[in-house]
Amino acid sequence: MKTRIISGAVLAVVTVAVILIGGPVLAAVLLLCSLVAMNELMKALGVITEEKKFPPVAIAAYVGCVIYYIAVFLGKDVFYGEVAAIVITAIVSMYVLFFGDTRSEDVTGTVFSFVYSAFMLSFIYLIRAGSYGERYVWMVFASSWIADTCAYFTGYFLGKHKMAPVLSPKKTIEGAAGGIIGAGLAGLLLAKFLFSGNYMWQCFLICAVGAMISIVGDLAASAIKRDRGIKDYGKLIPGHGGIMDRFDSVIFTAPVIYLLVHLLLRFMNV
């Protein structure tokens, strides 16, 4: 437990520092996290094994991930959505070129890993790099990590009804409700300090909805682990597991926050 707390605190400090710096530092860190997360997922899905440490589809995904983040970093002049589509095309092309040595499951697993980790994590950078992104980006973590903390304590003290006993036996409906409310309240604090008390209901709604999605992200990552019979995706973060274990909820939350910010705040010229 002590190791988990210390590593969690260090991770939080590093995350805050990287987000505050933004720019190429944030892009580079997200690229590294995406590469590690992709590797963890492909191992969990059986794309990468002891016998197949560097299958062609995985190599295409690694190279494509780097190219994709370069496109994301370059910004509006490069259509990173199209680059993502090209990366997926390259992965499928490896299946055609190495047909017989590559299974169809390897292709679907690799494409899934790229979209799940690299593509979805990149929305953190897209939020941060946009107008007033230094304000909006904190909603991602309020909707995931703060919600997770509130859910833990609410569930610990008040939890009675299991939410998903097969996927996550410790999660309760009461804990989920506490996490959503806690995230919404964190949104109110963000509105007070970042928007001078304006747009209170918008920030509450964005963070509360984000918290709902973060629960889905957490359960989705747990479902894959249960299905594949593994405890953790990796051992990179002591006491937490791998990147996928720690950022599972953030991965799902980031694209939703990006969309909600544009719908509820950007259209209001906030």
Side-chain angles (χ1 to χ4, degrees):
M1 178 61 72
K2 183 178 180 181
T3 300
R4 180 181 175 86
I5 293 174
I6 293 174
S7 61
V10 172
L11 179 63
V13 171
V14 171
T15 300
V16 170
V18 170
I19 292 295
L20 287 173
I21 295 171
V25 173
L26 175 59
V29 171
L30 286 173
L31 169 59
L32 181 60
C33 288
S34 295
L35 289 170
V36 174
M38 275 202 313
N39 186 71
E40 292 173 348
L41 263 178
M42 286 190 287
K43 283 185 177 180
L45 296 173
V47 177
I48 297 175
T49 64
E50 287 297 323
E51 296 76 24
K52 301 185 302 178
K53 293 185 177 181
F54 298 102
V57 288
I59 294 174
Y62 295 140
V63 175
C65 181
V66 174
I67 295 174
Y68 171 72
Y69 267 92
I70 291 174
V72 169
F73 176 69
L74 292 177
K76 296 181 180 179
D77 294 332
V78 176
F79 299 103
Y80 42 83
E82 285 83 342
V83 173
I86 292 173
V87 173
I88 294 173
T89 302
I91 294 171
V92 178
S93 297
M94 291 298 101
Y95 173 55
V96 175
L97 292 173
F98 293 89
F99 185 76
D101 295 327
T102 303
R103 305 171 303 165
S104 58
E105 302 96 294
D106 295 335
V107 180
T108 54
T110 304
V111 171
F112 175 76
S113 299
F114 170 74
V115 173
Y116 196 144
S117 54
F119 181 74
M120 294 178 75
L121 263 180
S122 69
F123 280 89
I124 295 177
Y125 181 83
L126 293 175
I127 295 172
R128 178 64 177 84
S131 301
Y132 300 102
E134 69 278 3
R135 302 180 187 181
Y136 302 144
V137 72
W138 301 113
M139 295 183 184
V140 175
F141 298 95
S143 301
S144 51
W145 289 356
I146 290 180
D148 187 49
T149 301
C150 292
Y152 173 80
F153 285 105
T154 305
Y156 182 82
F157 289 107
L158 302 175
K160 293 182 179 180
H161 302 88
K162 300 295 184 181
M163 183 173 64
V166 176
L167 294 180
S168 187
K170 294 182 179 180
K171 280 186 170 52
T172 62
I173 295 175
E174 292 82 3
I180 293 169
I181 294 173
L185 295 176
L188 292 179
L189 290 176
L190 289 174
K192 180 174 179 59
F193 290 105
L194 300 181
F195 299 109
S196 302
N198 297 312
Y199 314 106
M200 300 287 281
W201 73 265
Q202 291 95 332
C203 291
F204 179 92
L205 181 61
I206 289 172
C207 290
V209 172
M212 295 179 192
I213 301 301
S214 75
I215 295 172
V216 177
D218 192 6
L219 291 175
S222 295
I224 295 173
K225 289 191 289 186
R226 293 281 182 180
D227 185 60
R228 305 304 296 184
I230 59 175
K231 182 179 183 296
D232 294 316
Y233 284 101
K235 300 179 181 179
L236 182 65
I237 308 172
H240 293 270
I243 293 294
M244 282 297 304
D245 296 291
R246 182 63 274 184
F247 288 86
D248 50 4
S249 57
V250 174
I251 288 172
F252 264 53
T253 304
V256 174
I257 297 298
Y258 179 85
L259 175 62
L260 291 176
V261 161
H262 278 74
L263 290 177
L264 297 178
L265 293 179
R266 289 293 298 277
F267 286 169
M268 299 178 184
N269 295 318
V270 178

